[in-house]
Amino acid sequence: MQVLKYLKQYRIPFSGLVSGKHKFEFDIDDKFFDCFEHSLVKKGKLKAEVALQKQENMLIVIFEITGTIKLTCDICLAEFDSPLDFKERVLVKFTEEDWDSETEEVITLSKTDYEFDVATLLYEYINVRVPYYSRCVEQGINITCDPEMLAKISSDDTTESNEESKIDPRWDILKKIKNN
Ligand SMILES: [Zn+2]
């Protein structure tokens, strides 16, 4: 319920708008990402500028999203701000019947709808831009992998694997039993 309430601010009430161009702005922050349980992005600070062109049977909606999302470097484990700046465009068509041919580019709403909920779209647009593999050197601003951290990680790795090889195999069986 709390989530639904928070996301209410990401709706565009288009029914009362006259034909022509309209602009909206939305702030996207940590609380926004908290609303989506499976969000890859947990923290970020972005702005979505939405240009909406209202026509008789259609809305043309252009999103311009700029800001940063927090990523964790897969190499040195540092959290860093990764900049995003992109545009997306979607057509919203109104139809009376259920229309299954909804694509990424075309969204259908019922003729009785009066609001366009952009929360899920914003969430998806941002989450698909999360790289599969994050490196602060490549995706961050003015940041390179922390050499001390790298040294620490690599020395941890060697001690771990040395210890593991020394462990009596029976311990492994015991460990498995314990974990169950
Ligand atoms: Zn790094």
Side-chain angles (χ1 to χ4, degrees):
M1 254 352 240
Q2 210 61 20
V3 166
L4 288 177
K5 210 173 158 192
Y6 191 77
L7 292 180
K8 265 190 180 172
Q9 59 183 300
Y10 299 95
R11 290 181 190 174
I12 298 175
F14 59 81
S15 65
L17 299 175
V18 295
S19 295
K21 283 187 181 171
H22 303 271
K23 285 208 163 175
F24 300 88
E25 241 182 58
F26 301 98
D27 286 315
I28 301 166
D29 54 13
D30 301 354
K31 275 190 200 161
F32 174 83
F33 297 111
D34 284 345
C35 295
F36 298 91
E37 198 190 339
H38 302 291
S39 183
L40 297 170
V41 181
K42 306 289 181 203
K43 290 176 184 173
K45 198 170 172 22
L46 304 117
K47 197 168 271 277
E49 285 185 1
V50 183
L52 178 148
Q53 194 179 346
K54 190 179 181 186
Q55 299 182 353
E56 198 178 333
N57 283 312
M58 186 168 72
L59 304 173
I60 302 167
V61 190
I62 295 166
F63 295 86
E64 191 168 353
I65 299 172
T66 50
T68 56
I69 52 171
K70 272 253 191 289
L71 295 178
T72 302
C73 178
D74 282 319
I75 300 168
C76 73
L77 308 178
E79 264 202 341
F80 65 97
D81 290 321
S82 176
L84 286 185
D85 185 355
F86 63 92
K87 275 190 183 182
E88 291 282 352
R89 179 177 182 271
V90 77
L91 300 180
V92 182
K93 292 191 171 175
F94 303 107
T95 172
E96 274 158 13
E97 64 265 34
D98 275 338
W99 196 33
D100 283 336
S101 62
E102 199 167 278
T103 67
E104 274 170 49
E105 289 256 300
V106 181
I107 289 173
T108 55
L109 290 180
S110 148
K111 285 202 166 173
T112 55
D113 280 332
Y114 59 96
E115 283 181 325
F116 177 37
D117 189 336
V118 296
T120 315
L121 277 179
L122 293 174
Y123 161 74
E124 285 171 0
Y125 288 156
I126 295 166
N127 268 269
V128 296
R129 282 179 169 75
V130 173
Y132 179 69
Y133 193 72
S134 306
R135 291 182 67 180
C136 62
V137 187
E138 284 169 16
Q139 285 124 6
I141 315 164
N142 296 330
I143 180 171
T144 50
C145 284
D146 176 358
E148 275 179 36
M149 194 63 183
L150 287 181
K152 195 173 174 296
I153 292 166
S154 64
S155 70
D156 281 357
D157 278 353
T158 31
T159 28
E160 239 173 59
S161 53
N162 282 346
E163 270 166 20
E164 250 166 52
S165 55
K166 269 184 255 163
I167 289 173
D168 186 317
R170 281 169 298 176
W171 279 105
D172 271 331
I173 297 166
L174 266 180
K175 260 202 289 187
K176 271 175 203 152
I177 294 168
K178 260 174 116 182
N179 289 340
N180 288 338

